[in-house]
Amino acid sequence: GTLNAEELNIVDFGARPDDGSDDTRAVRKAIQACQAQGAKRLVLPKGRYDFYPEFATEMYFFISNNDEGLKRVAFPLVEMRDLVIDGQGSECCFHGFINPFILDGCHKITLENFSVDYARPFHSEAIILGHDAEGMDVEIREGFPYKVHRGTLLFTGGQEEDGPLTTVSQGEIYGSSHMLEFDTEKRETAYLANDFYFSPVNGYPAKKLDGRKVRIRVPELEGVPGNTMVFGPNHRNFPGFVVSDCADVLFRNVTIHHAGGMGILGQRTHNVTVDHCKVTPSHGRMVSTTADATHFVNCTGKIALTHNLFENQKDDATNIHGIYVQMAEQSGSDEVIVKLKHHQQHGFDFLRPGVQVELVHARNMMTYATTTVKAAERLNKECTKLVLSSPLPDEFQPDDVLAEVLADSEVTIANNVVRNNRARGVLLNCRGKTIVENNYFHTPGAAILFAGDSSYWFEQGGVRDCVIRNNTFDNCLFGVWGKAIIDFKAGIREDKEISRYDKNIRITGNSFRVFDQSTLLNAYCVDGLIWNNNTVERTNAYPSRDKPQPPYVIEFCDNVTIDGKAYQ
Amino acid sequence: GTLNAEELNIVDFGARPDDGSDDTRAVRKAIQACQAQGAKRLVLPKGRYDFYPEFATEMYFFISNNDEGLKRVAFPLVEMRDLVIDGQGSECCFHGFINPFILDGCHKITLENFSVDYARPFHSEAIILGHDAEGMDVEIREGFPYKVHRGTLLFTGGQEEDGPLTTVSQGEIYGSSHMLEFDTEKRETAYLANDFYFSPVNGYPAKKLDGRKVRIRVPELEGVPGNTMVFGPNHRNFPGFVVSDCADVLFRNVTIHHAGGMGILGQRTHNVTVDHCKVTPSHGRMVSTTADATHFVNCTGKIALTHNLFENQKDDATNIHGIYVQMAEQSGSDEVIVKLKHHQQHGFDFLRPGVQVELVHARNMMTYATTTVKAAERLNKECTKLVLSSPLPDEFQPDDVLAEVLADSEVTIANNVVRNNRARGVLLNCRGKTIVENNYFHTPGAAILFAGDSSYWFEQGGVRDCVIRNNTFDNCLFGVWGKAIIDFKAGIREDKEISRYDKNIRITGNSFRVFDQSTLLNAYCVDGLIWNNNTVERTNAYPSRDKPQPPYVIEFCDNVTIDGKAYQ
Ligand SMILES: [Ca+2]
């Protein structure tokens, strides 16, 4: 303990910076002391701290859009109140299969002034040497240990094998099941590069060559010699920060160099601010987090992302959405078994008595009723049996979906830099007021995507009040993830003439720099969109693609005006 | 419900035999009713019942020598008292990733008169066509669906793919990481066949050929054309019956055709009887359970295996042992952090206040002290912090191990047939009275093994009173798993001159049929062994191996007599 019970110092609990020793137990003790004493601040004096799974706290956790599991957690913050963790510029280095931070049921937490990294990242990187009809030769970069055993390339933790292989052998395998080519010079996904997916494997058919060179025996592989092949992990087990069922959480001056999953994942949380943070790779690595930089699911209150750098993450900068469950089986007039369909949503318990829900036709995404949950019995992580406060209406159809009415929600995305990542910039799927302003986007896919679907990702969207202003869209769309720089693609399969999923959008004062005649705006099933005072400038940043595209594609929309000109 | 509350019938809860429909929810309701009404019998009228994971009860479970995980369980019996489940000759067929039975904290349970099988087993089988310097060609048997995608052979559930591959794709993969050749005609492991292990993979480098033929591109593979290659699962997630922290459990006339793991696993349980049961493959499959037929860990009271058939399981017929934990870190004179070292023992919580424990040197397996657990704090599934009732003695050394003193235990293995499985017959590692009589063994390895070690499997053994009488050992040792038909191999690395791990063994009236000059008895670090009135007969069942072996190998033993002749 310290004299001032308001502030505790992890060194007083046995943490030793800069020596490589495991500081996990010190953190556990310090957190327990914070809770016991009601301390308001926990300080990590500037230095490097190391965290190993061996003695870490364990908890089974369901993490939306990442992978559930029994996790070892370095910073398990459970039902904490009113605490600042101040890293004072420290580096937190994680070793092996350990989760950095899980916040569960906390109120008013600030995390500030430290960085998170892994000694061995969950993805791997190699330089492409060439390819032919038999496969591709690569040279695996230092820092990404691997082995080729009996015809399979497996990435590893670099540990020595202990003991002979037996029926129960387990190795520290860094499983991988997909590849993506990056431009080594530009440090971004290669021009028009596409994901190369395998059926769920953990390694690749391969042959060892000299040194760190390996021949991957997959004839379909292509890539430019000298470019970097990134081998993506076959899991999202290790997101950087999980914020679950919390309120009033602030990230300030936190840097995430790596995570095996998303950087920050918020779920069922009220008010999250991410301010002056960075998601950026370390040690010359091509990739930072192996999935989205940030992601928010069924959150309420205000989500604010301000003054951040999100770069080289292997998916979007953010996605703020709800979750649809499928109404799998009606078991009574007011009873229905609902099912979480996407496996990375399993265990997402948001259906509790009193929750207001909307009933939606899957085929046209139209809400046809709202009601309230009267009782919920969880059968397992997929299925929950609901009793509703009113009978299912006549419109109910099998495979309809249901979601929480997330009325009280608001999003501000301002003054961020988003660049060099895989896929899109920001996915806007929040019903409350959404402002996207003064951001810089250089993304291979759509910079801004309005999504929502009820047949594959089961993500609830549909903006109602959205402003996109004074942003710079700098040579976006050099990849394959999107039809337009600002793209709408609600999963509406029928009734397009009447279904209007996104509403009331103003796009104004933005600057578009484009390397060919890209589509600036692709609007689909929108009601109310104003486009004005945006500028477009041509560049030579990339080769032009096949054929020029129309700047505005407006399909199945009402009340759209482009610089004063009405569409439809 | 029924008129007679003493007996319930699952048909009354919605189960429908013989129609392929999912009976999982009916069983759940029936079990709840048994508990609510205190019913004494639950009857499954003769028929075929089907069980799917979709609506099954879920529980996280640690299962010794099998794999932990969040399990879907068809028959979750938790804290039940005094219940008979009578299948009346029914077949229970399981589909996909579901566990048949978990008994947790139950007393006086009888399971009788039914069989357990899986529609798609967790292993796969193929006929060997031939092999050359590039690899082996096999023809995969019907009933074992698979695909070859981008150079990898993956076994599957046979479902259609749904949707495109993405970063989060999951398929129903039946992961496999090792192979073993079986003699198709004899329906047993091939003569002197050895396991062929891969680093932890879930599929194999391969190329699709015509029909169900596949070329496995692994040059080292060998096997006799026409023989059966068995692809073992890379997990033990689905043992047939788990009996955990129970008392007085009886299996009678239960047949286990398949399990993805062990058939029956008992842990921390008092009194288990397995009588007139069978572990035997169905549908012409070569393999029944993919691991041991039965296995008992830290059990007390009486373990009785009588009148059973254990055949074609992919490991031993039984192994009855305790668990050693490593004393990983002393944190005070009476405080030590202990660690479960073998990953399939993780979560095995046996160290509770009041438990008597022995302290053992890992290097020589000698017990140097006994004491009692005063307090236990579980850090995670591997590590527990113990406070002992007395200080650690001076003899304590890092890496010593600790185990429960399992004084009250007794084993009877009588009138069983054990044959055609992988590896050994029975592993005897129980301190209490152990009787093995009137059994028939035809095993590729040792028929009887006395094991125990503190450096790899961490299984506690050391018999004190063991009788082996009137058994038939019929052409055992045609494989690679053991040096003798009755084999001792305690993991004693030092002090062999004084360490005596197994004591007081009588081997009498047994009949040995041998196809070459095998070692009948290999005794090591034993004190007290009498061998008499055993007969030996030569056969021509298999070719002789390289060189004749001495019939008795006696090393580092005291008080051994072979038919009246004293050794040493
Ligand atoms: Ca340290």
Side-chain angles (χ1 to χ4, degrees), chain A residues 14-23 48-51:
Chain A
R16 294 202 309 264
D18 303 319
D19 69 344
S21 69
D22 184 5
D23 299 305
R48 169 179 155 147
Y49 298 90
D50 293 276
F51 302 96

Side-chain angles (χ1 to χ4, degrees), chain B residues 78-142:
Chain B
V78 179
E79 291 177 11
M80 305 288 285
R81 293 284 180 282
D82 200 4
L83 178 70
V84 176
I85 298 184
D86 179 358
Q88 302 191 335
S90 290
E91 297 166 42
C92 295
C93 184
F94 297 85
H95 301 261
F97 297 168
I98 183 167
N99 285 67
F101 280 75
I102 293 184
L103 283 64
D104 183 21
C106 295
H107 284 231
K108 209 178 167 208
I109 304 290
T110 296
L111 304 175
E112 62 183 9
N113 307 324
F114 62 90
S115 67
V116 163
D117 202 357
Y118 279 84
R120 198 282 182 232
F122 294 100
H123 73 283
S124 296
E125 301 179 7
I127 300 298
I128 296 170
L129 302 176
H131 55 90
D132 60 22
E134 296 284 300
M136 174 182 277
D137 291 350
V138 300
E139 181 160 13
I140 296 168
R141 291 186 56 197
E142 294 286 347

Side-chain angles (χ1 to χ4, degrees), chain B residues 127-316:
Chain B
I127 300 298
I128 296 170
L129 302 176
H131 55 90
D132 60 22
E134 296 284 300
M136 174 182 277
D137 291 350
V138 300
E139 181 160 13
I140 296 168
R141 291 186 56 197
E142 294 286 347
F144 302 97
Y146 69 95
K147 62 181 168 185
V148 179
H149 180 250
R150 294 195 158 157
T152 300
L153 167 64
L154 291 163
F155 293 100
T156 72
Q159 311 301 316
E160 295 286 312
E161 306 281 339
D162 62 52
L165 291 170
T166 70
T167 45
V168 299
S169 289
Q170 261 199 345
E172 208 187 15
I173 298 301
Y174 282 64
S176 175
S177 60
H178 41 89
M179 303 183 191
L180 181 60
E181 181 188 356
F182 279 65
D183 186 312
T184 305
E185 293 303 313
K186 290 183 168 167
R187 293 186 53 74
E188 62 187 23
T189 58
Y191 179 64
L192 299 184
N194 219 327
D195 293 299
F196 195 85
Y197 291 117
F198 291 73
S199 288
V201 294
N202 57 1
Y204 305 100
K207 189 180 160 187
K208 194 177 173 352
L209 306 175
D210 290 347
R212 297 181 64 86
K213 292 176 187 159
V214 172
R215 157 147 288 218
I216 303 171
R217 300 174 75 181
V218 179
E220 303 92 327
L221 278 173
E222 290 184 7
V224 176
N227 270 355
T228 299
M229 191 60 94
V230 170
F231 300 85
N234 61 0
H235 63 81
R236 293 179 178 178
N237 283 334
F238 305 99
F241 296 84
V242 178
V243 181
S244 190
D245 301 290
C246 295
D248 302 323
V249 176
L250 167 61
F251 293 85
R252 190 165 48 199
N253 192 25
V254 170
T255 296
I256 305 173
H257 290 305
H258 182 71
M262 293 174 176
I264 297 172
L265 183 286
Q267 58 187 8
R268 301 179 305 267
T269 285
H270 190 74
N271 298 340
V272 181
T273 299
V274 180
D275 180 57
H276 285 92
C277 291
K278 290 179 188 166
V279 170
T280 181
S282 61
H283 302 105
R285 296 173 191 158
M286 190 61 73
V287 163
S288 55
T289 62
T290 66
D292 299 351
T294 73
H295 197 116
F296 300 91
V297 186
N298 280 48
C299 288
T300 55
K302 183 159 184 178
I303 307 298
L305 307 177
T306 51
H307 299 283
N308 302 293
L309 169 65
F310 299 127
E311 66 177 2
N312 293 72
Q313 67 274 7
K314 220 168 141 285
D315 216 342
D316 315 317

Side-chain angles (χ1 to χ4, degrees), chain A residues 25 28 53-58 60 62 68 70 72 134 147 149-152 154 163-171 173 178 196-203 205 217-218 220 236 329 337 339 342-344 378-383 422 456-457, chain B residues 25 28 53-58 60 62 68 70 72 134 147 149-152 154 163-171 173 178 196-203 205 217-218 220 236 329 337 339 342-344 378-383 422 456-457:
Chain A
R25 276 184 290 177
R28 186 216 302 257
E54 186 175 21
F55 300 116
T57 300
E58 204 168 53
Y60 201 96
F62 293 99
E68 68 182 80
L70 190 66
R72 300 285 171 95
E134 296 284 300
K147 63 181 167 185
H149 181 250
R150 294 192 159 160
T152 300
L154 292 163
L165 291 169
T166 70
T167 45
V168 299
S169 289
Q170 259 198 346
I173 297 301
H178 41 89
F196 194 86
Y197 292 117
F198 290 74
S199 288
V201 293
N202 57 359
R217 301 175 74 180
V218 180
E220 303 92 328
R236 293 178 177 178
E329 198 175 300
I337 291 178
K339 201 167 178 176
H342 175 17
H343 73 93
Q344 287 177 329
R378 177 172 165 159
L379 301 181
N380 52 44
K381 66 183 180 181
E382 279 177 89
C383 292
R422 175 187 177 279
Y456 188 74
W457 297 102
Chain B
R25 276 184 289 178
R28 186 214 304 258
E54 186 174 20
F55 300 116
T57 300
E58 205 168 52
Y60 200 94
F62 294 98
E68 68 181 81
L70 191 67
R72 300 286 172 94
E134 296 284 300
K147 62 181 168 185
H149 180 250
R150 294 195 158 157
T152 300
L154 291 163
L165 291 170
T166 70
T167 45
V168 299
S169 289
Q170 261 199 345
I173 298 301
H178 41 89
F196 195 85
Y197 291 117
F198 291 73
S199 288
V201 294
N202 57 1
R217 300 174 75 181
V218 179
E220 303 92 327
R236 293 179 178 178
E329 198 175 300
I337 292 178
K339 201 165 178 178
H342 175 16
H343 73 91
Q344 287 177 330
R378 176 171 165 160
L379 300 181
N380 52 44
K381 66 183 179 181
E382 280 175 88
C383 292
R422 174 187 178 280
Y456 188 74
W457 297 102

Side-chain angles (χ1 to χ4, degrees), chain B residues 322-544:
Chain B
I323 283 181
Y324 289 120
V325 291
Q326 196 175 71
M327 295 194 273
E329 198 175 300
Q330 186 177 3
S331 48
S333 69
D334 58 356
E335 280 187 17
V336 62
I337 292 178
V338 299
K339 201 165 178 178
L340 289 154
K341 294 288 288 182
H342 175 16
H343 73 91
Q344 287 177 330
Q345 295 168 348
H346 286 174
F348 193 84
D349 276 333
F350 66 100
L351 293 165
R352 290 164 187 174
V355 166
Q356 202 191 357
V357 292
E358 56 174 350
L359 311 188
V360 178
H361 290 311
R363 65 180 199 288
N364 64 16
M365 306 286 287
M366 291 174 79
T367 298
Y368 60 88
T370 60
T371 181
T372 304
V373 175
K374 207 157 95 183
E377 181 199 357
R378 176 171 165 160
L379 300 181
N380 52 44
K381 66 183 179 181
E382 280 175 88
C383 292
T384 297
K385 189 171 173 176
L386 294 186
V387 182
L388 300 171
S389 63
S390 49
L392 286 168
D394 293 342
E395 296 96 315
F396 170 75
Q397 292 177 346
D399 291 351
D400 278 355
V401 295
L402 175 155
E404 185 174 355
V405 175
L406 296 163
D408 162 31
S409 58
E410 192 183 333
V411 171
T412 297
I413 300 172
N415 301 299
N416 302 287
V417 172
V418 177
R419 65 186 181 199
N420 303 355
N421 58 307
R422 174 187 178 280
R424 288 77 51 104
V426 299
L427 277 68
L428 304 180
N429 301 305
C430 176
R431 298 277 167 92
K433 186 169 186 57
T434 299
I435 296 174
V436 180
E437 64 184 353
N438 300 326
N439 301 287
Y440 169 92
F441 294 96
H442 174 57
T443 55
I448 295 177
L449 175 64
F450 299 82
D453 81 89
S454 53
S455 53
Y456 188 74
W457 297 102
F458 291 87
E459 294 183 357
Q460 178 201 31
V463 298
R464 295 289 179 271
D465 178 2
C466 178
V467 177
I468 299 170
R469 65 187 168 215
N470 303 335
N471 300 285
T472 299
F473 298 98
D474 183 13
N475 291 296
C476 296
L477 283 189
F478 62 90
V480 298
W481 297 276
K483 289 184 186 166
I485 295 169
I486 298 178
D487 201 8
F488 289 78
K489 59 166 203 177
I492 294 164
R493 300 191 305 273
E494 295 180 19
D495 301 326
K496 297 171 188 179
E497 296 75 12
I498 54 166
S499 181
R500 296 292 172 264
Y501 198 66
D502 291 290
K503 297 175 186 173
N504 191 14
I505 297 121
R506 282 138 288 150
I507 303 170
T508 183
N510 300 287
S511 155
F512 293 83
R513 306 182 73 231
V514 296
F515 60 89
D516 63 4
Q517 199 170 316
S518 312
T519 296
L520 305 176
L521 171 68
N522 176 46
Y524 175 66
C525 294
V526 170
D527 181 6
L529 184 151
I530 296 168
W531 174 288
N532 62 25
N533 299 318
N534 301 295
T535 63
V536 181
E537 182 191 343
R538 279 296 289 264
T539 76
N540 295 311
Y542 300 92
S544 287

